[in-house]
Amino acid sequence: MHHDASTLRLSEETKEDRRLVVGGDTQVGTSGAALHLDCCLTLMSATGLTTEMIVLVEVDEAGNVANVFGLPLAHMQPKTGYVLVGIDRERARRKFAEVACVSFSRGTHITMASGIQKPIEELTVGDMVLTRDDGPQAIRWIGHSTVRAVGDFAPIRIKAGTLHNENDLIVSPDHRLFIYQRFDALGAGRKEVLVRARHLVNGDTVTRQMGGFVDYFQLLFDRHHIIFAEGISAETFLVDTRTRDALPRELKEALAQTLPGHENRRHMDYEVNESLLDHPDAADILKRASSR
């Protein structure tokens, strides 16, 4: 990698027909231009560590290649040589989908319909979980993956007590947490808000957990739900045009009649902009606003 290489944001939108285009809020590429998932590369450094990178190709209106982008799935070091050791064209779309999946880490206690707290790795398909809005609901699928906890892909640790949670909660960076405020402390114009875990990082009570590997679990229900993880209200797996490819093919066929229920994303109306959370005490503000 070049000595002055840097990371730039490529905004992506997935259309209903599953076409990818460059989004409007982007630092590279041409907004609205078509994107194609080319492949997933496996690269190896001199130390023997492997890194996967998804290759996306932007094409112009004539169908010619305009730009080629690399989305590394782990942090890559400048001034470091990498050797190409593998090319996978079959699983690129699935890998791309997994980046957008929200996940809980191993050991996370989930509130069951009975009220007991159960570690997520002990859950099975069919178990009844308590949801915030629709009572007990059955788990339809449980996903599991192990990834390197480095760079932007490192999980977020919310220290016990930060949001009234009894134990630490460790989730994927873009996992959205549901907070009910007694008063609108954020200026969002409503009391109910969804916040991404990474937007609460303050270096103290909310931190990135760097190093090693992390076991991630995804919980799928017939609909997108808010459940309780370590006492914090948090979203479940949301099936959309981007994340659908993370599901096994046989599951997508078996649940063809129920998965469209995820299109009713009533919770998404509550998500707040990152600018409202650009404060070192955002987590504390939310805790005080949600205190009983």
Side-chain angles (χ1 to χ4, degrees), residues 107-138:
T108 300
H109 290 86
I110 303 298
T111 301
M112 310 302 291
S114 63
I116 68 169
Q117 307 289 310
K118 195 170 183 180
I120 196 167
E121 64 270 20
E122 296 181 11
L123 299 181
T124 58
V125 172
D127 281 351
M128 301 299 288
V129 172
L130 180 64
T131 68
R132 182 184 186 275
D133 301 307
D134 298 301
Q137 295 293 321

Side-chain angles (χ1 to χ4, degrees), residues 186-189 272-279 282:
L186 293 179
V272 297
N273 189 284
E274 180 179 3
S275 61
L276 293 181
L277 298 164
D278 188 17
H279 192 287

